[in-house]
Short mmCIF file of all heavy atoms in Angstrom, two decimals:
data_model
loop_
_atom_site.label_atom_id
_atom_site.label_comp_id
_atom_site.label_asym_id
_atom_site.label_seq_id
_atom_site.Cartn_x
_atom_site.Cartn_y
_atom_site.Cartn_z
N MET A 1 0.85 -1.19 0.00
CA MET A 1 0.00 0.00 0.00
C MET A 1 0.88 1.24 0.00
O MET A 1 1.72 1.42 0.85
CB MET A 1 -0.91 -0.01 1.23
CG MET A 1 -1.94 1.10 1.20
SD MET A 1 -3.25 0.79 2.39
CE MET A 1 -2.69 1.76 3.75
N ALA A 2 0.69 2.12 -0.94
CA ALA A 2 1.55 3.27 -1.10
C ALA A 2 1.14 4.44 -0.21
O ALA A 2 1.97 5.21 0.23
CB ALA A 2 1.58 3.71 -2.55
N HIS A 3 -0.14 4.57 0.06
CA HIS A 3 -0.61 5.73 0.80
C HIS A 3 -1.19 5.30 2.14
O HIS A 3 -2.05 4.44 2.19
CB HIS A 3 -1.67 6.50 0.01
CG HIS A 3 -1.16 6.96 -1.32
ND1 HIS A 3 -0.29 8.01 -1.46
CD2 HIS A 3 -1.38 6.49 -2.57
CE1 HIS A 3 -0.01 8.17 -2.74
NE2 HIS A 3 -0.66 7.26 -3.44
N ALA A 4 -0.70 5.93 3.23
CA ALA A 4 -1.20 5.62 4.57
C ALA A 4 -2.30 6.60 4.95
O ALA A 4 -2.15 7.41 5.86
CB ALA A 4 -0.07 5.65 5.57
N THR A 5 -3.38 6.57 4.21
CA THR A 5 -4.50 7.46 4.52
C THR A 5 -5.77 6.64 4.65
O THR A 5 -5.88 5.54 4.12
CB THR A 5 -4.71 8.52 3.43
OG1 THR A 5 -4.89 7.85 2.18
CG2 THR A 5 -3.53 9.46 3.33
N THR A 6 -6.71 7.18 5.36
CA THR A 6 -8.02 6.54 5.47
C THR A 6 -8.83 6.89 4.23
O THR A 6 -8.40 7.67 3.40
CB THR A 6 -8.76 7.02 6.73
OG1 THR A 6 -8.98 8.42 6.61
CG2 THR A 6 -7.94 6.74 7.97
N HIS A 7 -10.01 6.34 4.15
CA HIS A 7 -10.86 6.62 2.99
C HIS A 7 -11.29 8.07 2.93
O HIS A 7 -11.59 8.59 1.86
CB HIS A 7 -12.09 5.70 3.00
CG HIS A 7 -11.73 4.28 2.72
ND1 HIS A 7 -11.34 3.84 1.48
CD2 HIS A 7 -11.64 3.20 3.53
CE1 HIS A 7 -11.04 2.56 1.54
NE2 HIS A 7 -11.22 2.15 2.77
N SER A 8 -11.31 8.75 4.07
CA SER A 8 -11.74 10.15 4.07
C SER A 8 -10.60 11.09 3.69
O SER A 8 -10.80 12.29 3.59
CB SER A 8 -12.30 10.53 5.43
OG SER A 8 -11.27 10.41 6.40
N GLY A 9 -9.38 10.57 3.51
CA GLY A 9 -8.27 11.41 3.09
C GLY A 9 -7.44 11.96 4.22
O GLY A 9 -6.45 12.63 3.98
N THR A 10 -7.81 11.69 5.47
CA THR A 10 -7.02 12.19 6.59
C THR A 10 -5.89 11.20 6.88
O THR A 10 -6.02 10.01 6.58
CB THR A 10 -7.88 12.36 7.86
OG1 THR A 10 -8.50 11.10 8.14
CG2 THR A 10 -8.95 13.43 7.65
N PRO A 11 -4.79 11.66 7.43
CA PRO A 11 -3.68 10.75 7.73
C PRO A 11 -4.11 9.67 8.71
O PRO A 11 -4.87 9.92 9.65
CB PRO A 11 -2.63 11.67 8.36
CG PRO A 11 -2.99 13.04 7.90
CD PRO A 11 -4.47 13.05 7.73
N ALA A 12 -3.60 8.44 8.51
CA ALA A 12 -3.96 7.33 9.37
C ALA A 12 -3.26 7.43 10.72
O ALA A 12 -3.74 6.90 11.71
CB ALA A 12 -3.59 6.01 8.69
N VAL A 13 -2.12 8.11 10.77
CA VAL A 13 -1.36 8.25 12.01
C VAL A 13 -1.50 9.68 12.49
O VAL A 13 -1.21 10.61 11.75
CB VAL A 13 0.13 7.90 11.77
CG1 VAL A 13 0.93 8.12 13.04
CG2 VAL A 13 0.27 6.48 11.27
N ALA A 14 -1.95 9.84 13.73
CA ALA A 14 -2.08 11.19 14.29
C ALA A 14 -0.71 11.70 14.69
O ALA A 14 0.03 11.01 15.40
CB ALA A 14 -3.02 11.17 15.48
N LEU A 15 -0.35 12.88 14.27
CA LEU A 15 0.93 13.47 14.64
C LEU A 15 0.82 14.11 16.02
O LEU A 15 -0.17 14.78 16.31
CB LEU A 15 1.34 14.51 13.62
CG LEU A 15 1.58 13.98 12.20
CD1 LEU A 15 1.84 15.13 11.25
CD2 LEU A 15 2.72 13.00 12.18
N PRO A 16 1.82 13.92 16.88
CA PRO A 16 1.76 14.54 18.21
C PRO A 16 1.95 16.05 18.10
O PRO A 16 2.72 16.53 17.29
CB PRO A 16 2.93 13.90 18.96
CG PRO A 16 3.86 13.47 17.89
CD PRO A 16 3.03 13.12 16.69
N VAL A 17 1.21 16.76 18.93
CA VAL A 17 1.34 18.21 18.99
C VAL A 17 2.09 18.57 20.26
O VAL A 17 1.66 18.25 21.36
CB VAL A 17 -0.04 18.89 18.97
CG1 VAL A 17 0.13 20.40 19.09
CG2 VAL A 17 -0.79 18.53 17.70
N ILE A 18 3.26 19.18 20.11
CA ILE A 18 4.09 19.55 21.25
C ILE A 18 4.14 21.07 21.32
O ILE A 18 4.59 21.73 20.39
CB ILE A 18 5.52 18.97 21.11
CG1 ILE A 18 5.45 17.46 20.97
CG2 ILE A 18 6.37 19.38 22.30
CD1 ILE A 18 6.77 16.82 20.61
N SER A 19 3.69 21.63 22.43
CA SER A 19 3.68 23.08 22.57
C SER A 19 5.07 23.59 22.93
O SER A 19 5.92 22.84 23.41
CB SER A 19 2.69 23.50 23.65
OG SER A 19 3.17 23.12 24.91
N ALA A 20 5.29 24.88 22.71
CA ALA A 20 6.57 25.50 23.05
C ALA A 20 6.84 25.40 24.55
O ALA A 20 7.98 25.21 24.97
CB ALA A 20 6.59 26.94 22.59
N ALA A 21 5.80 25.50 25.37
CA ALA A 21 5.96 25.42 26.82
C ALA A 21 6.42 24.03 27.24
O ALA A 21 7.20 23.89 28.19
CB ALA A 21 4.66 25.78 27.52
N GLU A 22 5.94 22.99 26.55
CA GLU A 22 6.39 21.63 26.84
C GLU A 22 7.83 21.42 26.37
O GLU A 22 8.58 20.66 26.97
CB GLU A 22 5.49 20.61 26.13
CG GLU A 22 4.18 20.36 26.80
CD GLU A 22 3.36 19.36 26.00
OE1 GLU A 22 3.18 19.57 24.79
OE2 GLU A 22 2.92 18.37 26.61
N LEU A 23 8.19 22.07 25.29
CA LEU A 23 9.50 21.87 24.68
C LEU A 23 10.60 22.65 25.40
O LEU A 23 11.75 22.21 25.43
CB LEU A 23 9.43 22.32 23.22
CG LEU A 23 10.51 21.83 22.29
CD1 LEU A 23 10.52 20.31 22.20
CD2 LEU A 23 10.31 22.44 20.92
N LEU A 24 10.25 23.77 26.02
CA LEU A 24 11.26 24.68 26.60
C LEU A 24 12.20 24.02 27.60
O LEU A 24 13.42 24.20 27.48
CB LEU A 24 10.56 25.90 27.22
CG LEU A 24 11.52 26.96 27.77
CD1 LEU A 24 12.32 27.60 26.65
CD2 LEU A 24 10.76 28.02 28.55
N PRO A 25 11.71 23.25 28.60
CA PRO A 25 12.65 22.65 29.55
C PRO A 25 13.65 21.72 28.87
O PRO A 25 14.82 21.69 29.26
CB PRO A 25 11.76 21.87 30.52
CG PRO A 25 10.40 22.36 30.31
CD PRO A 25 10.32 22.95 28.94
N TRP A 26 13.21 20.98 27.86
CA TRP A 26 14.12 20.07 27.15
C TRP A 26 15.11 20.85 26.32
O TRP A 26 16.27 20.43 26.16
CB TRP A 26 13.32 19.09 26.30
CG TRP A 26 12.52 18.16 27.15
CD1 TRP A 26 11.19 18.23 27.44
CD2 TRP A 26 13.03 17.04 27.87
NE1 TRP A 26 10.85 17.22 28.29
CE2 TRP A 26 11.94 16.47 28.56
CE3 TRP A 26 14.28 16.46 27.99
CZ2 TRP A 26 12.09 15.35 29.37
CZ3 TRP A 26 14.43 15.34 28.80
CH2 TRP A 26 13.34 14.79 29.48
N ALA A 27 14.67 21.97 25.74
CA ALA A 27 15.59 22.82 24.97
C ALA A 27 16.67 23.40 25.88
O ALA A 27 17.85 23.44 25.53
CB ALA A 27 14.81 23.92 24.27
N VAL A 28 16.26 23.84 27.09
CA VAL A 28 17.23 24.37 28.05
C VAL A 28 18.20 23.27 28.49
O VAL A 28 19.42 23.48 28.53
CB VAL A 28 16.50 24.98 29.28
CG1 VAL A 28 17.49 25.31 30.38
CG2 VAL A 28 15.73 26.22 28.85
N PHE A 29 17.67 22.09 28.79
CA PHE A 29 18.49 20.95 29.20
C PHE A 29 19.50 20.58 28.11
O PHE A 29 20.70 20.41 28.37
CB PHE A 29 17.60 19.76 29.55
CG PHE A 29 18.34 18.51 29.94
CD1 PHE A 29 19.10 18.47 31.09
CD2 PHE A 29 18.27 17.38 29.15
CE1 PHE A 29 19.78 17.33 31.46
CE2 PHE A 29 18.94 16.23 29.50
CZ PHE A 29 19.70 16.20 30.66
N GLY A 30 19.03 20.47 26.88
CA GLY A 30 19.91 20.16 25.76
C GLY A 30 20.95 21.24 25.55
O GLY A 30 22.12 20.95 25.27
N GLY A 31 20.57 22.50 25.72
CA GLY A 31 21.51 23.60 25.58
C GLY A 31 22.59 23.55 26.64
O GLY A 31 23.77 23.79 26.35
N LEU A 32 22.21 23.22 27.87
CA LEU A 32 23.20 23.10 28.94
C LEU A 32 24.18 21.97 28.67
O LEU A 32 25.39 22.11 28.89
CB LEU A 32 22.51 22.88 30.29
CG LEU A 32 21.85 24.11 30.89
CD1 LEU A 32 21.07 23.74 32.15
CD2 LEU A 32 22.89 25.18 31.23
N LEU A 33 23.66 20.82 28.19
CA LEU A 33 24.55 19.71 27.84
C LEU A 33 25.51 20.12 26.74
O LEU A 33 26.69 19.78 26.77
CB LEU A 33 23.74 18.49 27.40
CG LEU A 33 23.02 17.71 28.49
CD1 LEU A 33 22.31 16.51 27.87
CD2 LEU A 33 23.97 17.25 29.57
N LEU A 34 25.00 20.86 25.77
CA LEU A 34 25.84 21.31 24.65
C LEU A 34 26.94 22.25 25.14
O LEU A 34 28.11 22.11 24.77
CB LEU A 34 24.96 22.00 23.61
CG LEU A 34 25.60 22.27 22.26
CD1 LEU A 34 25.87 20.95 21.54
CD2 LEU A 34 24.69 23.14 21.42
N VAL A 35 26.57 23.21 26.00
CA VAL A 35 27.57 24.15 26.55
C VAL A 35 28.62 23.39 27.36
O VAL A 35 29.82 23.66 27.25
CB VAL A 35 26.87 25.23 27.41
CG1 VAL A 35 27.88 26.01 28.24
CG2 VAL A 35 26.08 26.17 26.50
N LEU A 36 28.17 22.40 28.17
CA LEU A 36 29.10 21.60 28.97
C LEU A 36 30.06 20.83 28.06
O LEU A 36 31.27 20.77 28.32
CB LEU A 36 28.31 20.64 29.85
CG LEU A 36 29.07 19.98 30.99
CD1 LEU A 36 29.49 21.03 32.02
CD2 LEU A 36 28.22 18.91 31.64
N MET A 37 29.53 20.26 26.97
CA MET A 37 30.36 19.51 26.03
C MET A 37 31.37 20.44 25.36
O MET A 37 32.55 20.08 25.24
CB MET A 37 29.48 18.83 24.98
CG MET A 37 30.21 17.82 24.15
SD MET A 37 29.13 16.92 23.06
CE MET A 37 28.77 18.16 21.84
N VAL A 38 30.94 21.62 24.94
CA VAL A 38 31.86 22.57 24.30
C VAL A 38 32.94 22.99 25.28
O VAL A 38 34.11 23.11 24.93
CB VAL A 38 31.09 23.79 23.75
CG1 VAL A 38 32.05 24.90 23.35
CG2 VAL A 38 30.23 23.38 22.57
N TYR A 39 32.55 23.17 26.58
CA TYR A 39 33.56 23.52 27.59
C TYR A 39 34.61 22.42 27.71
O TYR A 39 35.81 22.70 27.68
CB TYR A 39 32.91 23.77 28.96
CG TYR A 39 33.94 23.80 30.06
CD1 TYR A 39 34.77 24.91 30.22
CD2 TYR A 39 34.13 22.70 30.87
CE1 TYR A 39 35.76 24.93 31.18
CE2 TYR A 39 35.12 22.70 31.84
CZ TYR A 39 35.93 23.80 32.00
OH TYR A 39 36.91 23.80 32.93
N PHE A 40 34.17 21.17 27.83
CA PHE A 40 35.13 20.08 28.03
C PHE A 40 35.99 19.87 26.80
O PHE A 40 37.19 19.60 26.92
CB PHE A 40 34.41 18.78 28.43
CG PHE A 40 34.23 18.66 29.91
CD1 PHE A 40 33.04 19.03 30.51
CD2 PHE A 40 35.26 18.22 30.72
CE1 PHE A 40 32.86 18.96 31.87
CE2 PHE A 40 35.10 18.15 32.10
CZ PHE A 40 33.91 18.51 32.67
N VAL A 41 35.41 20.00 25.61
CA VAL A 41 36.21 19.84 24.39
C VAL A 41 37.16 21.03 24.22
O VAL A 41 38.32 20.86 23.83
CB VAL A 41 35.30 19.68 23.15
CG1 VAL A 41 36.11 19.77 21.87
CG2 VAL A 41 34.55 18.36 23.21
N GLY A 42 36.69 22.23 24.52
CA GLY A 42 37.45 23.42 24.17
C GLY A 42 38.40 23.94 25.22
O GLY A 42 39.41 24.57 24.88
N ALA A 43 38.11 23.73 26.51
CA ALA A 43 38.89 24.45 27.52
C ALA A 43 39.40 23.58 28.67
O ALA A 43 40.45 23.90 29.23
CB ALA A 43 38.04 25.58 28.10
N GLU A 44 38.68 22.51 29.06
CA GLU A 44 39.07 21.76 30.26
C GLU A 44 40.47 21.15 30.10
O GLU A 44 40.80 20.58 29.06
CB GLU A 44 38.04 20.66 30.54
CG GLU A 44 38.38 19.74 31.69
CD GLU A 44 38.52 20.43 33.04
OE1 GLU A 44 38.05 21.56 33.20
OE2 GLU A 44 39.12 19.83 33.95
N GLN A 45 41.27 21.28 31.15
CA GLN A 45 42.66 20.81 31.18
C GLN A 45 43.47 21.47 30.07
O GLN A 45 44.40 20.87 29.51
CB GLN A 45 42.74 19.28 31.11
CG GLN A 45 42.19 18.63 32.36
CD GLN A 45 42.30 17.13 32.35
OE1 GLN A 45 42.64 16.53 31.35
NE2 GLN A 45 42.00 16.52 33.48
N GLY A 46 43.09 22.71 29.77
CA GLY A 46 43.83 23.51 28.82
C GLY A 46 43.86 24.92 29.36
O GLY A 46 44.68 25.25 30.22
N ALA A 47 42.92 25.75 28.90
CA ALA A 47 42.82 27.11 29.40
C ALA A 47 42.39 27.12 30.87
O ALA A 47 42.83 27.96 31.65
CB ALA A 47 41.82 27.89 28.55
N THR A 48 41.51 26.20 31.26
CA THR A 48 41.09 26.07 32.66
C THR A 48 41.20 24.60 33.04
O THR A 48 41.36 23.74 32.19
CB THR A 48 39.64 26.54 32.86
OG1 THR A 48 38.78 25.67 32.12
CG2 THR A 48 39.44 27.97 32.42
N SER A 49 41.07 24.32 34.33
CA SER A 49 41.17 22.93 34.76
C SER A 49 40.35 22.69 36.01
O SER A 49 40.68 23.18 37.09
CB SER A 49 42.63 22.58 35.01
OG SER A 49 42.76 21.18 35.20
N LEU A 50 39.24 21.95 35.87
CA LEU A 50 38.42 21.56 37.02
C LEU A 50 38.81 20.18 37.52
O LEU A 50 38.58 19.85 38.68
CB LEU A 50 36.93 21.54 36.63
CG LEU A 50 36.32 22.87 36.20
CD1 LEU A 50 34.87 22.65 35.77
CD2 LEU A 50 36.38 23.88 37.34
N ILE A 51 39.38 19.36 36.64
CA ILE A 51 39.73 17.98 36.96
C ILE A 51 41.24 17.84 36.85
O ILE A 51 41.84 18.29 35.89
CB ILE A 51 39.02 17.00 35.99
CG1 ILE A 51 37.51 17.17 36.06
CG2 ILE A 51 39.42 15.56 36.28
CD1 ILE A 51 36.74 16.43 34.99
N GLN A 52 41.85 17.19 37.87
CA GLN A 52 43.30 16.99 37.87
C GLN A 52 43.70 16.00 36.79
O GLN A 52 42.91 15.14 36.40
CB GLN A 52 43.74 16.45 39.24
CG GLN A 52 43.52 17.42 40.40
CD GLN A 52 44.50 18.58 40.37
OE1 GLN A 52 45.68 18.39 40.10
NE2 GLN A 52 44.01 19.77 40.64
N GLY A 53 44.94 16.12 36.32
CA GLY A 53 45.48 15.15 35.39
C GLY A 53 45.37 15.60 33.94
O GLY A 53 45.12 16.77 33.66
N ARG A 54 45.60 14.66 33.02
CA ARG A 54 45.58 14.97 31.59
C ARG A 54 44.62 14.09 30.81
O ARG A 54 44.58 14.14 29.59
CB ARG A 54 46.99 14.79 31.01
CG ARG A 54 48.03 15.75 31.57
CD ARG A 54 49.36 15.67 30.81
NE ARG A 54 49.19 15.80 29.36
CZ ARG A 54 49.09 16.98 28.73
NH1 ARG A 54 49.13 18.09 29.41
NH2 ARG A 54 48.95 17.01 27.43
N GLU A 55 43.82 13.26 31.48
CA GLU A 55 42.98 12.29 30.78
C GLU A 55 41.93 12.97 29.92
O GLU A 55 41.72 12.56 28.76
CB GLU A 55 42.29 11.34 31.78
CG GLU A 55 43.23 10.33 32.43
CD GLU A 55 44.06 10.93 33.55
OE1 GLU A 55 43.70 12.00 34.08
OE2 GLU A 55 45.09 10.32 33.90
N VAL A 56 41.26 14.00 30.43
CA VAL A 56 40.23 14.69 29.65
C VAL A 56 40.88 15.35 28.44
O VAL A 56 40.37 15.26 27.32
CB VAL A 56 39.48 15.72 30.52
CG1 VAL A 56 38.53 16.56 29.65
CG2 VAL A 56 38.71 15.03 31.62
N HIS A 57 42.02 15.99 28.65
CA HIS A 57 42.72 16.65 27.56
C HIS A 57 43.07 15.64 26.45
O HIS A 57 42.83 15.90 25.27
CB HIS A 57 44.01 17.30 28.08
CG HIS A 57 44.80 17.99 27.01
ND1 HIS A 57 44.72 19.33 26.80
CD2 HIS A 57 45.67 17.50 26.08
CE1 HIS A 57 45.50 19.66 25.77
NE2 HIS A 57 46.09 18.57 25.33
N GLU A 58 43.62 14.51 26.84
CA GLU A 58 44.01 13.51 25.83
C GLU A 58 42.80 12.94 25.12
O GLU A 58 42.82 12.69 23.92
CB GLU A 58 44.82 12.38 26.49
CG GLU A 58 46.13 12.82 27.10
CD GLU A 58 47.09 13.45 26.10
OE1 GLU A 58 47.01 13.13 24.90
OE2 GLU A 58 47.91 14.28 26.52
N PHE A 59 41.69 12.75 25.86
CA PHE A 59 40.48 12.16 25.27
C PHE A 59 39.86 13.07 24.22
O PHE A 59 39.38 12.60 23.19
CB PHE A 59 39.47 11.85 26.38
CG PHE A 59 38.27 11.09 25.90
CD1 PHE A 59 38.37 9.75 25.57
CD2 PHE A 59 37.04 11.71 25.78
CE1 PHE A 59 37.27 9.05 25.11
CE2 PHE A 59 35.94 11.03 25.32
CZ PHE A 59 36.05 9.68 24.99
N VAL A 60 39.87 14.39 24.45
CA VAL A 60 39.21 15.32 23.53
C VAL A 60 40.20 16.04 22.61
O VAL A 60 39.83 16.95 21.89
CB VAL A 60 38.37 16.37 24.30
CG1 VAL A 60 37.30 15.70 25.13
CG2 VAL A 60 39.24 17.27 25.14
N HIS A 61 41.47 15.59 22.64
CA HIS A 61 42.52 16.34 21.97
C HIS A 61 42.28 16.54 20.47
O HIS A 61 42.41 17.65 19.95
CB HIS A 61 43.86 15.63 22.19
CG HIS A 61 45.04 16.44 21.80
ND1 HIS A 61 46.02 15.98 20.98
CD2 HIS A 61 45.36 17.73 22.10
CE1 HIS A 61 46.91 16.93 20.80
NE2 HIS A 61 46.54 18.00 21.46
N ASP A 62 41.91 15.48 19.76
CA ASP A 62 41.70 15.60 18.31
C ASP A 62 40.52 16.51 18.01
O ASP A 62 40.57 17.31 17.07
CB ASP A 62 41.48 14.22 17.69
CG ASP A 62 42.75 13.38 17.70
OD1 ASP A 62 43.82 13.96 17.97
OD2 ASP A 62 42.66 12.17 17.44
N ALA A 63 39.46 16.40 18.78
CA ALA A 63 38.30 17.28 18.57
C ALA A 63 38.67 18.73 18.83
O ALA A 63 38.22 19.63 18.13
CB ALA A 63 37.15 16.85 19.50
N ARG A 64 39.50 18.96 19.82
CA ARG A 64 39.94 20.33 20.13
C ARG A 64 40.69 20.93 18.95
O ARG A 64 40.44 22.07 18.56
CB ARG A 64 40.82 20.30 21.38
CG ARG A 64 41.18 21.66 21.91
CD ARG A 64 41.86 21.57 23.26
NE ARG A 64 40.94 21.09 24.27
CZ ARG A 64 41.25 21.00 25.56
NH1 ARG A 64 42.45 21.34 25.98
NH2 ARG A 64 40.37 20.55 26.42
N HIS A 65 41.60 20.17 18.35
CA HIS A 65 42.33 20.66 17.18
C HIS A 65 41.41 20.82 15.99
O HIS A 65 41.50 21.80 15.25
CB HIS A 65 43.48 19.73 16.84
CG HIS A 65 44.70 19.96 17.68
ND1 HIS A 65 45.69 20.81 17.31
CD2 HIS A 65 45.03 19.47 18.89
CE1 HIS A 65 46.62 20.83 18.26
NE2 HIS A 65 46.24 20.02 19.23
N LEU A 66 40.52 19.85 15.78
CA LEU A 66 39.61 19.89 14.64
C LEU A 66 38.74 21.13 14.69
O LEU A 66 38.48 21.76 13.66
CB LEU A 66 38.72 18.63 14.64
CG LEU A 66 37.72 18.52 13.50
CD1 LEU A 66 38.47 18.24 12.19
CD2 LEU A 66 36.74 17.42 13.78
N LEU A 67 38.29 21.52 15.88
CA LEU A 67 37.40 22.67 16.02
C LEU A 67 38.16 23.99 16.14
O LEU A 67 37.54 25.05 16.22
CB LEU A 67 36.48 22.49 17.23
CG LEU A 67 35.53 21.29 17.12
CD1 LEU A 67 34.79 21.07 18.42
CD2 LEU A 67 34.55 21.51 15.97
N GLY A 68 39.50 23.93 16.18
CA GLY A 68 40.30 25.15 16.16
C GLY A 68 40.47 25.82 17.50
O GLY A 68 40.85 27.00 17.55
N PHE A 69 40.21 25.10 18.60
CA PHE A 69 40.47 25.70 19.92
C PHE A 69 41.98 25.72 20.15
O PHE A 69 42.69 24.81 19.73
CB PHE A 69 39.79 24.89 21.04
CG PHE A 69 38.32 25.08 21.12
CD1 PHE A 69 37.45 24.16 20.54
CD2 PHE A 69 37.78 26.18 21.76
CE1 PHE A 69 36.09 24.33 20.61
CE2 PHE A 69 36.41 26.35 21.84
CZ PHE A 69 35.56 25.43 21.26
N PRO A 70 42.51 26.76 20.81
CA PRO A 70 43.94 26.78 21.09
C PRO A 70 44.32 25.64 22.03
O PRO A 70 43.59 25.35 22.98
CB PRO A 70 44.15 28.15 21.76
CG PRO A 70 42.82 28.59 22.21
CD PRO A 70 41.81 27.94 21.32
N CYS A 71 45.44 25.00 21.74
CA CYS A 71 45.80 23.82 22.53
C CYS A 71 47.26 23.89 22.95
O CYS A 71 47.55 24.02 24.11
CB CYS A 71 45.56 22.56 21.71
SG CYS A 71 45.90 21.04 22.57
N HIS A 72 48.20 23.81 22.03
CA HIS A 72 49.61 23.86 22.36
C HIS A 72 50.40 24.40 21.20
O HIS A 72 49.87 24.58 20.13
CB HIS A 72 50.14 22.48 22.75
CG HIS A 72 49.85 21.42 21.75
ND1 HIS A 72 50.54 21.23 20.60
CD2 HIS A 72 48.85 20.51 21.73
CE1 HIS A 72 50.03 20.23 19.91
NE2 HIS A 72 48.98 19.78 20.55
ZN1 ZN B 101 46.99 19.75 20.87
#
């Protein structure tokens, strides 16, 4: 069957409606995760250091160079 419609022409699958108010907390949460990821890739154990050692630096080193953050 090529078309997923009922005989009346309406879609057979109801699409969920998500309001901006429902979406906002997840957008903020995702944005915070993104900022945290950019911090760890771009600055942790380089320009700043919250965690002792060099493990984070070595783990994100190629991504840091790829994205053009200053490294060494
Ligand atoms: Zn480097």
Side-chain angles (χ1 to χ4, degrees):
M1 187 165 97
H3 302 285
T5 56
T6 63
H7 290 289
S8 62
T10 56
V13 177
L15 298 174
V17 178
I18 302 171
S19 70
E22 282 179 307
L23 198 61
L24 184 65
W26 293 100
V28 170
F29 178 65
L32 285 174
L33 286 182
L34 193 67
V35 166
L36 195 66
M37 192 174 73
V38 169
Y39 166 76
F40 272 97
V41 170
E44 175 61 18
Q45 292 182 351
T48 64
S49 190
L50 297 176
I51 301 170
Q52 295 288 318
R54 295 189 51 83
E55 288 78 18
V56 173
H57 180 98
E58 297 301 333
F59 187 73
V60 300
H61 192 231
D62 290 348
R64 188 171 293 185
H65 279 268
L66 181 71
L67 297 173
F69 285 98
C71 182
H72 53 79

